Amino acid sequence: MQAEWEEMARRNWISENQEAPGQVTISTIEKGYYFHTENPFKDWPGAFEEGLKKMKEGDLPVTILYLEAAILQEPNDAEAWQFLGVTQAENENEQAAIVALQRCLELQPNNLKALMALAVSYTNTGHQQEAYQALRNWIKQNPKYKYIAKSKKGSPALTRRMSKTSDESSLLEEVKDLYLEAAHQNGDMIDPDLQTGLGVLFHLNGEFNRAIDAFSAALTVRPEDYTLWNRLGATLANGDRSEEAVEAYTRALEIQPGFIRSRYNLGISCINLGAYREAVSNFLTALSLQRKSRNQQQVPHPALSGNIWAALRIALSMMDQPELFQAANVGDLDILLRAFNLEP
Amino acid sequence: MAAPRVAVVGAGLIGLSTALHIAEVIPSCCSITLLSEQFSPNTTSDVAAGMLIPHTYPGTPIHVQKQWFKETFTYLFAISNSAEASEAGIHLVSGWQVFKNPLEAEVPFWSDIVLGFRLMSAAELQKFPQHSHGQAFTTLKCECPPYLMWLEKRLKANGVQIHTRKVADLWELHSEYDIVVNCAGIGARQLVGDQQLFPIRGQVLKVHAPWVKNFIRDGDGLTYIYPGIHSVTLGGTREKESWCLSPDPGTTRDIFDRCCSLEPSLQRAQDIRVKVGLRPSRSCVRLQKEVLSQGGAKLLVVHNYGHGAGGFSVHRGTAKEAAHLVGECIAALEGSSSKAKL
């Protein structure tokens, strides 16, 4: 029974992620959030607080269960939706993250953390337009910067641009103006959140070196922020600087060993560097982490990310080990963990 | 990403059959171009007799070799049983492999793949007074150039581009192709600097002797008589590390004498033509992927060469494996285009 559930979960995720890169694989329309059907913490008092505790410990799958429990108990808890969205992204589950963050923003349109997280998720899924809008809203809703958006409204240049907001490049220019103006107003003061927004914006626009500068600036203020290290790493990787990306991911994982997304990213960089064994090892570790904490909680069908399985198959295919490739095809994690001497 | 572009280097038996298999199993998702300096009838494959009798590769597990042979035999057997047979140059042929000494192993690993394998009777052995033991079986033979021409035709029908071009360095293909399949045969020694690859020079005679209907192979592998559709191939020689492509008249005489002592009727053979080929030999076929790097640039290569004297016996099996490796390279190309997540 367990195996069947695993197989079903695996298939669902894989089929969602098998479209060609560049294509829109995730709908921006809210489809509704799929809760785990058998949540052992369903009636847990203080589930939200327990979730935050687990989040700090880096146990993402269990954090998700607690936060889902908190939301089932209090469906309008915007903050719980926000943390759930952020955790789902860290757990390499973008679709769930987007849905949770959208729900958060319906309840609380000025939730800055959710706006930024949503901009990131849209960036990752190739939804440029939506990402720019989320970034713009982040400025508009931000007590520190909303005056910039207001003062800009009257400017003739902006009005001209606003008249054709459907044009992607004009939206980009508008949002860029806002962020650069905000940075200018800050002078020598570095606002790590603003720099993060700039990093996402430049990344969206393919200006990787400028994005790297922005994330690096944010890190000077928050050197222990593992999500920032991952964002820096991902930008380095997408800018063809895989060796440096590995260093950044390694730092993120030192701070937060349970950070599934960074583990996945590290594996992708290993593939690009031709280190297939290390790549496989990272993907297996990520899958095993996703499964492990669930199993301890006796959740019958742990959701393992489809894109991690897909990346694992790619790495294995480069290693000339047909039996292991076959094991990945049927989703047999135990055989693979044993073959690579990893703890189940 | 755009459909990956695959270049197959070499238009001998291995290059043609590998390109065809890629075209058959990975259709439409990639474009395939075959590049070669030489085409039939000027390839090493055109010198070979094209008999399906496996040669053992010491560096490859027997079960793998057996699988390659089985796949090749099954594929060609189906062609021999179709209307294509004469055009493709594929036909069944029966005969004997004879030995002067008792055999070490009773039956070779391929005995259950060829047809009707059995030990020769005493009565049959009377035909070979110098030999005391023997095996009788029916196997397949590929007539070249017809088989190579037929493969070329199939390639064109599958949309494979074919260009005459000498490739001196795999890197010259880097800007035009994503994956290069190296089927250069003995040319791989120069092309990729493989010092484990060496030539075993083979000289053969192609004679007109239409009355010879059965093949005869001396168990030492040096002397053989292989009747084909248009001629009978008489062999042979095995000269390790000799790069000489011109026929040696003394060797021609020697081959003819050796064959006549096995099959005296060949004394009346006519129209004797001499051919020389360099068998691309190695302890095992090099069938693997390699990622070449040069100043940050990467080139995906699939090697399929080093079939020595046994290429015809295993070509379909190794082509299948090479096509599989190409499929893996395509997956890797798609993988490296997957983006990191912020």
Side-chain angles (χ1 to χ4, degrees):
Chain A
M1 189 61 192
Q2 164 93 12
E4 282 168 30
W5 271 114
E6 279 192 33
E7 173 62 16
M8 276 173 62
R10 195 182 62 77
R11 278 203 205 139
N12 284 336
W13 288 112
I14 288 171
S15 60
E16 263 184 32
N17 283 282
Q18 270 185 343
E19 284 153 80
Q23 273 187 338
V24 174
T25 54
I26 291 165
S27 166
T28 53
I29 303 154
E30 204 243 61
K31 281 187 196 161
Y33 185 90
Y34 294 99
F35 288 90
H36 288 86
T37 45
E38 290 177 50
N39 189 335
F41 313 122
K42 204 169 56 200
D43 305 314
W44 199 277
F48 178 72
E49 288 72 23
E50 197 61 29
L52 294 196
K53 207 174 111 198
K54 289 290 170 191
M55 193 182 189
K56 283 209 178 66
E57 288 169 16
D59 191 338
L60 305 181
V62 171
T63 303
I64 288 165
L65 289 175
Y66 276 114
L67 292 172
E68 287 185 4
I71 290 165
L72 288 170
Q73 295 165 22
E74 178 46 74
N76 293 328
D77 183 346
E79 211 182 359
W81 280 110
Q82 172 214 313
F83 279 105
L84 179 61
V86 168
T87 310
Q88 285 287 19
E90 289 179 13
N91 192 41
E92 194 48 49
N93 192 344
E94 209 85 77
Q95 170 70 69
I98 288 175
V99 174
L101 294 167
Q102 285 173 334
R103 181 62 60 83
C104 166
L105 289 164
E106 277 168 23
L107 298 165
Q108 199 179 69
N110 63 347
N111 187 314
L112 297 179
K113 287 197 167 72
L115 280 168
M116 190 57 78
L118 191 58
V120 167
S121 287
Y122 282 143
T123 304
N124 288 336
T125 51
H127 292 96
Q128 299 222 337
Q129 217 52 16
E130 290 81 358
Y132 291 137
Q133 277 155 10
L135 286 169
R136 183 170 61 184
N137 286 340
W138 185 86
I139 290 274
K140 283 185 171 170
Q141 299 287 355
N142 196 319
K144 258 159 92 182
Y145 304 115
K146 55 168 52 153
Y147 73 94
I148 296 172
K150 278 184 187 144
S151 71
K152 285 262 168 189
K153 240 177 211 160
S155 101
L158 202 68
T159 321
R160 210 163 43 238
R161 286 189 196 122
M162 294 285 274
S163 62
K164 43 171 182 169
T165 38
S166 61
D167 183 359
E168 193 167 297
S169 66
S170 72
L171 181 58
L172 164 68
E173 287 309 317
E174 181 203 339
V175 179
K176 213 155 133 183
D177 279 355
L178 292 174
Y179 275 78
L180 290 173
E181 178 62 24
H184 179 72
Q185 296 292 334
N186 282 340
D188 289 339
M189 277 278 295
I190 294 174
D191 175 354
D193 294 319
L194 183 74
Q195 291 297 326
T196 301
L198 264 173
V200 177
L201 193 56
F202 287 132
H203 186 286
L204 264 170
N205 197 33
E207 295 177 79
F208 296 117
N209 288 334
R210 294 181 81 178
I212 288 163
D213 289 344
F215 289 129
S216 301
L219 276 165
T220 61
V221 184
R222 288 191 194 141
E224 296 300 306
D225 186 335
Y226 57 87
T227 57
L228 270 178
W229 281 109
N230 178 66
R231 283 169 192 165
L232 174 64
T235 310
L236 286 162
N238 291 337
D240 268 338
R241 289 161 66 176
S242 291
E243 281 99 343
E244 295 161 81
V246 168
E247 287 175 35
Y249 297 141
T250 306
R251 186 75 196 102
L253 289 165
E254 277 167 12
I255 301 167
Q256 186 55 280
F259 192 180
I260 306 283
R261 162 153 296 172
S262 211
R263 184 72 64 186
Y264 165 80
N265 279 339
L266 178 55
I268 294 286
S269 278
C270 288
I271 291 183
N272 290 335
L273 292 168
Y276 305 117
R277 174 164 281 275
E278 289 76 5
V280 169
S281 182
N282 279 303
F283 296 137
L284 288 176
T285 303
L287 290 169
S288 164
L289 280 172
Q290 285 187 329
R291 187 179 68 167
K292 191 198 247 165
S293 53
R294 294 292 181 74
N295 281 356
Q296 282 165 359
Q297 304 301 332
Q298 318 232 308
V299 172
H301 47 109
L304 309 184
S305 299
N307 56 339
I308 305 183
W309 276 109
L312 173 65
R313 284 196 299 276
I314 287 162
L316 280 170
S317 75
M318 293 305 285
M319 287 183 65
D320 249 346
Q321 302 223 21
E323 328 80 54
L324 298 182
F325 184 75
Q326 189 49 31
N329 265 340
V330 299
D332 193 331
L333 191 52
D334 290 313
I335 286 189
L336 292 162
L337 289 169
R338 271 199 301 279
F340 286 85
N341 298 318
L342 295 169
E343 296 266 315
Chain B
M1 63 177 289
R5 300 155 300 173
V6 178
V8 178
V9 179
L13 172 70
I14 302 302
L16 295 171
S17 57
T18 301
L20 182 59
H21 209 299
I22 297 169
E24 285 170 353
V25 300
I26 319 175
S28 73
C29 74
C30 68
S31 80
I32 307 164
T33 308
L34 184 88
L35 304 169
S36 189
E37 185 187 13
Q38 298 289 353
F39 287 86
S40 184
N42 301 314
T43 72
T44 305
S45 307
D46 289 286
V47 180
M51 280 293 282
L52 265 71
I53 301 177
H55 291 245
T56 307
Y57 301 103
T60 305
I62 288 294
H63 73 271
V64 173
Q65 301 186 44
K66 184 168 179 174
Q67 183 62 26
W68 290 345
F69 180 54
K70 189 175 181 172
E71 280 162 3
T72 309
F73 195 94
T74 307
Y75 173 70
L76 294 175
F77 186 62
I79 298 173
S80 78
N81 244 345
S82 75
E84 297 276 298
S86 70
E87 194 195 338
I90 309 298
H91 61 96
L92 287 164
V93 57
S94 300
W96 307 281
Q97 174 157 245
V98 292
F99 300 84
K100 288 187 172 124
N101 299 304
L103 310 176
E104 272 175 36
E106 273 293 284
V107 290
F109 73 81
W110 42 265
S111 62
D112 56 350
I113 295 170
V114 296
L115 308 176
F117 183 93
R118 58 181 172 78
L119 297 182
M120 284 168 73
S121 68
E124 273 176 308
L125 276 165
Q126 282 178 10
K127 178 170 167 57
F128 306 102
Q130 297 159 51
H131 296 79
S132 57
H133 299 77
Q135 303 154 342
F137 55 92
T138 299
T139 188
L140 288 153
K141 188 175 177 300
C142 311
E143 184 89 351
C144 287
Y147 183 49
L148 301 180
M149 307 297 262
W150 181 80
L151 286 171
E152 267 187 46
K153 194 174 138 189
R154 294 281 303 264
L155 284 177
K156 286 176 184 156
N158 275 281
V160 174
Q161 301 283 315
I162 300 179
H163 298 308
T164 304
R165 169 168 169 183
K166 181 179 168 64
V167 178
D169 184 337
L170 292 181
W171 279 102
E172 70 186 63
L173 304 176
H174 177 246
S175 59
E176 296 161 72
Y177 302 98
D178 303 301
I179 300 165
V180 176
V181 186
N182 173 15
C183 303
I186 193 64
R189 169 106 158 208
Q190 272 246 301
L191 186 60
V192 295
D194 184 348
Q195 296 302 311
Q196 291 178 55
L197 181 71
F198 57 89
I200 294 185
R201 182 183 181 275
Q203 183 169 324
V204 296
L205 320 182
K206 305 258 177 179
V207 305
H208 183 71
W211 59 87
V212 176
K213 301 292 186 195
N214 294 82
F215 74 84
I216 303 166
R217 181 181 195 265
D218 190 307
D220 67 11
L222 211 54
T223 307
Y224 48 82
I225 298 157
Y226 293 144
I229 298 171
H230 302 294
S231 64
V232 183
T233 303
L234 310 183
T237 63
R238 266 197 229 151
E239 296 154 74
K240 218 172 154 176
E241 295 285 0
S242 168
W243 290 86
C244 176
L245 277 167
S246 42
D248 175 67
T251 305
T252 301
R253 187 75 241 163
D254 178 51
I255 291 170
F256 193 71
D257 290 348
R258 281 189 275 127
C259 288
C260 286
S261 88
L262 269 178
E263 177 56 61
S265 71
L266 285 169
Q267 298 283 2
R268 299 285 162 83
Q270 288 177 333
D271 190 19
I272 297 172
R273 285 164 299 136
V274 187
K275 288 196 151 199
V276 176
L278 303 178
R279 302 177 180 103
S281 299
R282 226 173 163 273
S283 71
C284 60
V285 177
R286 186 171 183 202
L287 198 43
Q288 60 181 195
K289 287 183 303 231
E290 187 180 18
V291 183
L292 300 179
S293 301
Q294 197 177 70
K298 286 192 175 67
L299 182 63
L300 289 171
V301 180
V302 172
H303 297 288
N304 185 14
Y305 66 84
H307 293 69
F312 278 87
S313 297
V314 297
H315 71 278
R316 181 71 182 185
T318 55
K320 182 178 167 187
E321 209 165 310
H324 178 70
L325 294 176
V326 169
E328 291 182 6
C329 287
I330 291 170
L333 282 172
E334 283 162 358
S336 66
S337 66
S338 59
K339 291 181 90 180
K341 307 280 186 69
L342 289 178

